[in-house]
Amino acid sequence: MNAPRLLVTGGAGFIGGAIVTAALEHGWSVRVLDSLRSDVHGALPLVDPRVDVIVGDVTDPGVVAVALREIDLVCHQAAKVGLGVDFSDAPDYVRSNEVGTAVLLAAMTAAGIDRLVLASSMVVYGEGSFRGSRGPARPGPRRAADLTAGVYDPVDEVTGERLEPALTTEEDPLDPRNVYAATKLAQEYLASAWARATGGRVAALRYHNVYGPGMPQNTPYAGVASLFRSALERGEAPRVFEDGAQRRDFVHVADIASANLAALDWTGVSPASTFRAFNVGSGTVHTIGDLAEALSRASGGPDPVVTGEFRLGDVRHITASSERIRVELGWSPTVTFERGVAEFATAPLRAAVRR
């Protein structure tokens, strides 16, 4: 049997690059479509010479049609990520994430390609799941006045009691609370509509906090792991917002790559199941403060500074149950937090982006 022919959109990026490496190690034939945007790539990334690279934007139908020639499977990683600078970023998020996905899906239909893995995100949930004395709870958006007063944890609006965070499952309500989150959920809806219309199969992977070697540095769109690591690279203390007790699931990029390969082999849980979402996390809960402290300790850098600052679009706690992907796809993470952070503390980062 011939090796699968895989297209990875955004394949020159942090996560896309890890997926490309994993696919090559499995003997797959890989093509990359990447725009090489300067606000993502500080310098031209190194791409394995075995990879067929097409430089172009996923919103360009002509370029996408060329990229899909003789392709069997598509792994869609191309997206504008992060919370953004302010709402003026909204048109670029919508164009990059929503329009780009629509163009890709239309071109896949024309090319007769019926299998897609979509990079989604934990941000589609908004706040994670909580429990109180009255049972499961889904708190509303946090208020600026509470955050300014140092009241960070959600409370039951009836009893006033502090809610206890719980693991979020794929069946929990979706509640995107910023522009990026709204566009990630829109990508899922577009992919689900495509699957129903064409009979295609989509696995949407809701990544949790991804970190690892090759993360971009010094970009306003980077995740917290990259921001902490970049600060330490400059000899500065990581700056931790709020009180540092925000709960997250930090998952290594190598595990994200293996989850994508497992999802590309997914055939659906029933003939009618053409779209399926999967949480992808490490299965262990740590705080943002834990990450900052571990990185500082492993790199021999200055201790983190807890600032009390906040961003209104951030959520307090979001950690996932990854039971579905373990059971249905047979996937499990292999990189522990301790090993992954120790490696990441001194691993090379991508070149700083141009401002």
Side-chain angles (χ1 to χ4, degrees):
M1 181 178 177
N2 293 331
R5 296 167 298 183
L6 173 67
L7 173 67
V8 182
T9 70
F14 166 50
I15 294 175
I19 294 168
V20 168
T21 297
L24 290 172
E25 289 174 352
H26 279 71
W28 293 12
S29 173
V30 181
R31 178 178 295 152
V32 162
L33 172 61
D34 201 297
S35 65
L36 302 182
R37 284 177 55 149
S38 61
D39 59 347
V40 176
H41 303 284
L44 290 180
L46 295 176
V47 180
D48 192 293
R50 293 172 290 176
V51 175
D52 177 19
V53 179
I54 296 177
V55 178
D57 199 296
V58 74
T59 62
D60 184 330
V63 169
V64 173
V66 171
L68 288 173
R69 290 175 184 168
E70 301 182 338
I71 289 295
D72 301 310
L73 314 167
V74 177
C75 190
H76 185 33
Q77 305 294 313
K80 185 179 177 73
V81 302
L83 187 58
V85 176
D86 54 43
F87 203 83
S88 65
D89 277 335
D92 194 28
Y93 274 104
V94 170
R95 179 178 179 276
S96 299
N97 299 354
E98 298 184 39
V99 175
T101 299
V103 169
L104 175 66
L105 293 171
M108 288 177 64
T109 304
I113 301 169
D114 66 354
R115 294 175 64 184
L116 173 71
V117 171
L118 172 68
S120 188
S121 171
M122 65 180 188
V123 297
V124 300
Y125 296 112
E127 283 286 354
S129 295
F130 290 81
R131 293 190 64 85
S133 61
R134 300 188 302 138
R138 294 286 293 180
R142 296 189 294 170
R143 295 182 287 262
D146 290 338
L147 296 172
T148 300
V151 179
Y152 303 121
D153 285 304
V155 299
D156 186 306
E157 294 186 359
V158 174
T159 66
E161 68 177 336
R162 178 180 176 274
L163 296 172
E164 294 297 325
L167 296 182
T168 302
T169 74
E170 293 87 351
E171 301 304 320
D172 282 332
L174 304 177
D175 183 19
R177 296 188 177 185
N178 56 56
V179 170
Y180 170 58
T183 62
K184 295 308 289 183
L185 185 54
Q187 286 184 302
E188 288 197 18
Y189 286 154
L190 285 165
S192 179
W194 171 81
R196 287 195 300 271
T198 66
R201 287 171 290 169
V202 181
L205 303 186
R206 293 173 179 166
Y207 301 157
H208 281 249
N209 289 74
V210 187
Y211 74 99
M215 285 193 83
Q217 61 176 307
N218 299 332
T219 164
Y221 306 102
V224 66
S226 175
L227 296 177
F228 290 165
R229 179 70 173 75
S230 296
L232 290 164
E233 188 97 342
R234 300 189 299 268
E236 301 171 5
R239 295 177 60 82
V240 180
F241 281 16
E242 301 182 21
D243 58 358
Q246 307 94 306
R247 289 162 55 104
R248 297 292 188 268
D249 185 327
F250 296 101
V251 56
H252 195 275
V253 68
D255 286 330
I256 292 291
S258 68
N260 273 268
L261 265 60
L264 285 162
D265 284 333
W266 177 69
T267 56
V269 295
S270 73
S273 180
T274 54
F275 176 93
R276 192 73 161 160
F278 298 93
N279 289 334
V280 185
S282 71
T284 60
V285 176
H286 291 87
T287 68
I288 288 178
D290 289 340
L291 176 66
E293 291 172 4
L295 283 172
S296 292
R297 187 165 56 249
S299 65
D303 291 338
V305 175
V306 178
T307 69
E309 297 174 80
F310 63 86
R311 298 189 302 181
L312 196 56
D314 283 338
V315 299
R316 178 60 173 173
H317 302 299
I318 175 70
T319 55
S321 166
S322 296
E323 185 66 15
R324 176 183 288 182
I325 192 171
R326 293 173 190 262
V327 171
E328 295 184 13
L329 302 188
W331 174 87
S332 60
T334 61
V335 182
T336 65
F337 178 81
E338 292 73 19
R339 179 164 70 87
V341 171
E343 171 200 37
F344 179 57
T346 57
L349 299 175
R350 288 175 181 251
V353 301
R354 297 188 290 274
R355 300 292 181 90

